[in-house]
Amino acid sequence: MKASTSSLAVLLALASSIDAFAPIAIKSASSSITALRAEAPPASSNWLTPELAQSCIDTAAGTPLYAYSLDTLAKSADDCLAFPNAYGLTVRYAMKSSPNGSILKYFLKRGICIDASSGFEVRRAMDMGVPAEKISLSSQELPEDFAELVKMGVKINACSVSQLERFGQAFPNCSQKVGIRVNPGVGSGGFSSSATGFSKTNVGGPASSFGIWHETVTDGTVPAIVEKYGLEPERIHTHIGSGSDPAIWQSVAKTSLSFCAIWDTVTALNLGGGYKVGRNPGEETTDLSTIGVPVADAFREFAKEHGRELKLEIEPGTYLVANAGALVTKIQDKVSTGDEGHIFLKMDAGMTDVLRPSLYGAIHPITILPASGKSADVGTSTESVVVVGHCCESGDLMTPKPGEPEALEERALRTAEIGDIAVMDGCGAYCSGMSTKNYNSFPEAPEVLVDTEGKVHLIRERQSLKKIYENECDVPTGVF
């Protein structure tokens, strides 16, 4: 399919000005942490009372465990499905954020499709009953069986020039539909204020390997590959980061529409996800109903100019599940390093369950609840502590300084005793699915779902010790 010469000219001009998107400062989490210090610790977590936390522990037969609120999942789904759009909307759940089958099945029932990040996620989703045609794959590693997946109905976004070449070689001259993921030249992640520099949560700009660099789209390289193999681009895809600044996201959304002008076969623009979610007091959550309005208007302008009504696709992960999940643990030890040191609370969980603090310096609310599981036993005294995990690893820190995984910070919490319950909120996204399970041979923690009536259901059993090493093999006798 030939690209429009006029469209290429317009995009060359856009490419030259894309650096004009000035970095927008992202609000520091320090004010939120100040609020955590100043306010009296709550008598319950964001959604778990002592009694409900105890019910989760009983259902999972101990701690640690992940608990998910169906009420919160439903509210988040409602918000995403109401995202402003001009000519139709497809919501795709970024399953990497929390891939439990029960969560996939719930979102499927709500009419939410799947965004997969690997061929294995595609197969996992299909095993959970998700139809292939409801799955989109955007991957750093194009699976060897991608052609088979395409024939089954899976939609694939080519995320590099070589991926597009491989796709074309597999489907030459047959007008095969394909999506094209573009790196628009800027990005935005929640742990960086730079739109072009490196950040672990920034997946756009020159410091990111994700997507096809925009200049290879505008200089004719990508259109030439499309024409060479007779491909039919049906979707343009961009995603700039996790916890992205809404203003940068809106700017990139409008720029991404111009990439759709290159091919008259494009019917949809996928703008990814990464919407900010406030996990802590004082942190704002992106208002989807607000940020989507100017984008919907831009789609209408595109339709007036090009005569095509594009559908919108979004891929929320964090927004859908982050605040629906909590890690429920026990304080299994408490130590002091003297007057000039710290009081440390040691959980029976850690980076094996929530890696975000150690990886990003992410901040999660932590609530201490009584070991009895009774609200009547909630105490009033507080103390400043550092919370750490159970791994033999100095980096297993649950209360880092905001954005500084190498630095610890004290947190004012209710005075804890060994055996008390500790709930870490905001753990629905990129916790269970991104854990370092089995480090120190700690087993994978179970998961439970709390339904709308408060009943707790086990949705993943605790891993047994033997499951950790059951795929190991002995070497032949005599090797050592």
Side-chain angles (χ1 to χ4, degrees):
M1 185 62 61
K2 291 188 176 181
S4 163
T5 303
S6 60
S7 297
L8 285 174
V10 170
L11 282 164
L12 284 169
L14 280 167
S16 66
S17 63
I18 200 164
D19 289 337
F21 291 131
I24 298 177
I26 294 176
K27 182 179 178 182
S28 170
S30 59
S31 61
S32 302
I33 305 311
T34 299
L36 283 175
R37 293 195 197 100
E39 297 178 5
S44 64
S45 84
N46 287 353
W47 61 276
L48 283 171
T49 63
E51 288 78 9
L52 187 52
Q54 187 60 54
S55 293
C56 291
I57 294 170
D58 293 342
T59 300
T63 56
L65 65 97
Y66 303 94
Y68 303 94
S69 163
L70 187 57
D71 275 333
T72 307
L73 291 175
K75 174 61 170 60
S76 299
D78 289 343
D79 290 346
C80 291
L81 290 167
F83 197 98
N85 64 91
Y87 307 112
L89 171 71
T90 297
V91 179
R92 298 185 182 280
Y93 171 52
M95 66 175 286
K96 65 178 180 285
S97 59
S98 189
N100 185 282
S102 292
I103 294 175
L104 300 185
K105 291 173 182 177
Y106 172 70
F107 286 141
L108 178 64
K109 185 176 181 180
R110 293 297 309 274
I112 294 175
C113 298
I114 292 296
D115 159 45
S117 296
S118 72
F120 296 104
E121 282 194 345
V122 170
R123 298 285 184 177
R124 182 174 182 174
M126 288 193 291
D127 282 350
M128 292 299 110
V130 180
E133 61 270 18
K134 292 185 178 294
I135 302 173
S136 174
L137 172 64
S138 302
S139 182
Q140 285 284 78
E141 178 184 350
L142 191 64
E144 292 185 3
D145 64 346
F146 76 88
E148 179 184 350
L149 298 178
V150 171
K151 291 174 182 177
M152 296 172 71
V154 175
K155 299 179 183 298
I156 289 184
N157 297 313
C159 296
S160 69
V161 170
S162 67
Q163 283 192 17
L164 187 61
E165 278 277 3
R166 288 174 59 193
F167 191 96
Q169 292 166 2
F171 299 100
N173 303 314
C174 61
S175 299
Q176 178 61 51
K177 296 181 184 297
V178 66
I180 296 176
R181 176 171 177 172
V182 181
N183 181 333
V186 293
S188 179
F191 297 99
S192 172
S193 60
S194 172
T196 56
F198 174 75
S199 166
K200 291 178 180 178
T201 55
N202 185 333
V203 292
S208 172
S209 67
F210 292 83
I212 298 175
W213 186 241
H214 64 95
E215 291 177 342
T216 62
V217 177
T218 60
D219 69 7
T221 300
V222 170
I225 296 173
V226 168
E227 185 174 2
K228 175 182 176 182
Y229 294 107
L231 299 174
E232 188 174 305
E234 64 171 343
R235 180 177 54 263
I236 296 297
H237 181 289
T238 58
H239 176 57
I240 60 171
S242 179
S244 56
D245 186 288
I248 297 179
W249 184 85
Q250 288 174 330
S251 296
V252 170
K254 295 175 182 178
T255 301
S256 300
L257 278 167
S258 60
F259 297 119
C260 298
I262 297 180
W263 296 281
D264 58 15
T265 54
V266 173
T267 60
L269 173 59
N270 187 317
L271 293 174
Y275 312 115
K276 275 180 177 289
V277 169
R279 290 178 168 87
N280 299 288
E283 292 181 351
E284 295 183 2
T285 292
T286 301
D287 185 340
L288 301 187
S289 65
T290 298
I291 68 165
V293 171
V295 173
D297 290 341
F299 273 59
R300 295 185 184 96
E301 289 298 318
F302 181 94
K304 289 180 182 178
E305 182 177 353
H306 299 280
R308 279 184 285 145
E309 297 181 349
L310 300 180
K311 292 183 178 180
L312 170 66
E313 295 187 2
I314 59 173
E315 295 175 343
T318 295
Y319 192 96
L320 280 168
V321 297
N323 284 331
L327 178 69
V328 182
T329 77
K330 287 285 185 75
I331 299 301
Q332 50 89 9
D333 205 351
K334 183 176 183 178
V335 301
S336 171
T337 52
D339 293 341
E340 301 301 319
H342 306 279
I343 296 173
F344 292 89
L345 300 183
K346 299 183 180 182
M347 299 163 52
D348 65 354
M351 62 191 296
T352 45
D353 312 280
V354 178
L355 183 60
R356 297 181 74 253
S358 299
L359 185 62
Y360 305 130
I363 305 301
H364 287 262
I366 299 174
T367 306
I368 302 299
L369 303 177
S372 66
K374 297 179 180 179
S375 295
D377 294 333
V378 172
T380 57
S381 64
T382 63
E383 61 185 349
S384 293
V385 297
V386 175
V387 183
V388 298
H390 58 180
C391 291
C392 186
E393 181 68 46
S394 59
D396 193 6
L397 175 65
M398 297 293 103
T399 55
K401 283 187 177 181
E404 297 183 37
E406 298 296 321
L408 57 78
E409 184 164 87
E410 291 187 347
R411 186 87 60 85
L413 301 177
R414 181 169 290 103
T415 302
E417 303 295 336
I418 294 175
D420 279 348
I421 300 168
V423 176
M424 181 179 284
D425 280 306
C427 290
Y430 301 100
C431 291
S432 175
M434 198 175 74
S435 69
T436 59
K437 64 180 183 182
N438 299 163
Y439 184 51
N440 290 172
S441 292
F442 284 112
E444 182 178 52
E447 295 176 302
V448 301
L449 178 71
V450 180
D451 68 21
T452 56
E453 297 180 352
K455 187 176 180 180
V456 183
H457 306 270
L458 186 67
I459 60 174
R460 185 177 73 190
E461 296 180 345
R462 191 179 308 279
Q463 186 182 36
S464 68
L465 174 61
K466 289 187 176 180
K467 285 286 185 181
I468 296 176
Y469 54 82
E470 68 178 358
N471 59 343
E472 295 179 7
C473 302
D474 286 332
V475 298
T477 303
V479 170
F480 50 74

Coordinates of all heavy atoms in Angstrom, one line a residue, residues 116-119 137-143 157-160 163 181:
A116 N -1.3 -7.9 25.0 CA -0.3 -8.9 25.5 C 1.1 -8.4 25.1 O 1.3 -7.6 24.1 CB -0.5 -10.2 24.8
S117 N 2.1 -8.7 25.9 CA 3.5 -8.3 25.7 C 4.4 -9.4 25.3 O 5.6 -9.1 25.2 CB 4.0 -7.5 26.9 OG 3.2 -6.4 27.2
S118 N 3.9 -10.6 25.2 CA 4.8 -11.7 24.7 C 3.9 -12.8 24.1 O 2.7 -12.8 24.4 CB 5.6 -12.3 25.9 OG 4.7 -13.1 26.7
G119 N 4.5 -13.6 23.3 CA 3.7 -14.7 22.8 C 3.2 -15.6 23.9 O 2.1 -16.2 23.7
L137 N -0.9 -8.0 20.3 CA 0.4 -8.3 20.8 C 1.4 -7.2 20.3 O 1.5 -6.9 19.1 CB 0.9 -9.6 20.2 CG 2.4 -10.0 20.5 CD1 2.6 -10.1 22.0 CD2 2.8 -11.2 19.8
S138 N 2.0 -6.5 21.3 CA 3.1 -5.6 21.1 C 4.2 -6.1 21.9 O 4.2 -6.0 23.2 CB 2.7 -4.2 21.5 OG 1.5 -3.7 20.8
S139 N 5.3 -6.5 21.3 CA 6.3 -7.2 22.1 C 7.7 -6.8 21.7 O 8.0 -6.5 20.5 CB 6.2 -8.7 21.8 OG 7.2 -9.5 22.6
Q140 N 8.6 -6.7 22.7 CA 10.0 -6.5 22.4 C 10.7 -7.7 21.7 O 11.7 -7.6 21.1 CB 10.8 -6.3 23.7 CG 10.5 -4.9 24.4 CD 11.3 -3.8 23.7 OE1 10.9 -3.3 22.6 NE2 12.4 -3.4 24.3
E141 N 10.0 -8.8 21.8 CA 10.5 -10.1 21.2 C 9.4 -10.7 20.4 O 8.5 -11.3 21.0 CB 11.1 -11.1 22.2 CG 11.6 -12.4 21.6 CD 12.0 -13.4 22.7 OE1 12.1 -13.0 23.9 OE2 12.2 -14.5 22.3
L142 N 9.5 -10.6 19.1 CA 8.4 -11.2 18.2 C 8.5 -12.7 18.4 O 9.6 -13.3 18.1 CB 8.6 -10.8 16.8 CG 7.5 -11.1 15.8 CD1 6.2 -10.3 16.2 CD2 7.9 -10.8 14.4
P143 N 7.5 -13.4 18.8 CA 7.6 -14.8 19.0 C 7.8 -15.6 17.7 O 7.4 -15.2 16.6 CB 6.2 -15.2 19.7 CG 5.3 -14.1 19.2 CD 6.1 -12.9 19.1
N157 N 1.3 -5.8 16.5 CA 1.9 -4.5 16.2 C 3.4 -4.7 16.0 O 4.1 -5.2 16.9 CB 1.6 -3.5 17.3 CG 0.2 -3.2 17.5 OD1 -0.6 -3.0 16.6 ND2 -0.3 -3.3 18.8
A158 N 3.9 -4.4 14.8 CA 5.3 -4.5 14.6 C 6.0 -3.4 15.4 O 5.7 -2.2 15.2 CB 5.6 -4.3 13.1
C159 N 7.0 -3.8 16.2 CA 7.6 -2.8 17.2 C 9.0 -2.4 16.8 O 9.7 -1.8 17.6 CB 7.5 -3.4 18.6 SG 5.8 -3.6 19.2
S160 N 9.5 -2.9 15.7 CA 10.8 -2.5 15.2 C 10.8 -2.7 13.6 O 9.9 -3.4 13.1 CB 11.9 -3.3 15.8 OG 11.8 -4.7 15.3
Q163 N 11.1 -6.4 12.9 CA 9.9 -7.1 13.1 C 8.9 -6.9 11.9 O 8.3 -7.9 11.5 CB 9.2 -6.6 14.4 CG 9.8 -7.1 15.7 CD 8.9 -6.9 16.9 OE1 7.7 -6.6 16.8 NE2 9.5 -7.0 18.1
R181 N 3.8 0.1 15.6 CA 4.1 0.8 16.9 C 5.2 1.8 16.6 O 6.3 1.5 16.1 CB 4.5 -0.1 18.0 CG 4.8 0.8 19.3 CD 5.0 -0.1 20.5 NE 5.4 0.7 21.6 CZ 5.5 0.3 22.9 NH1 5.2 -0.9 23.2 NH2 5.8 1.1 23.9

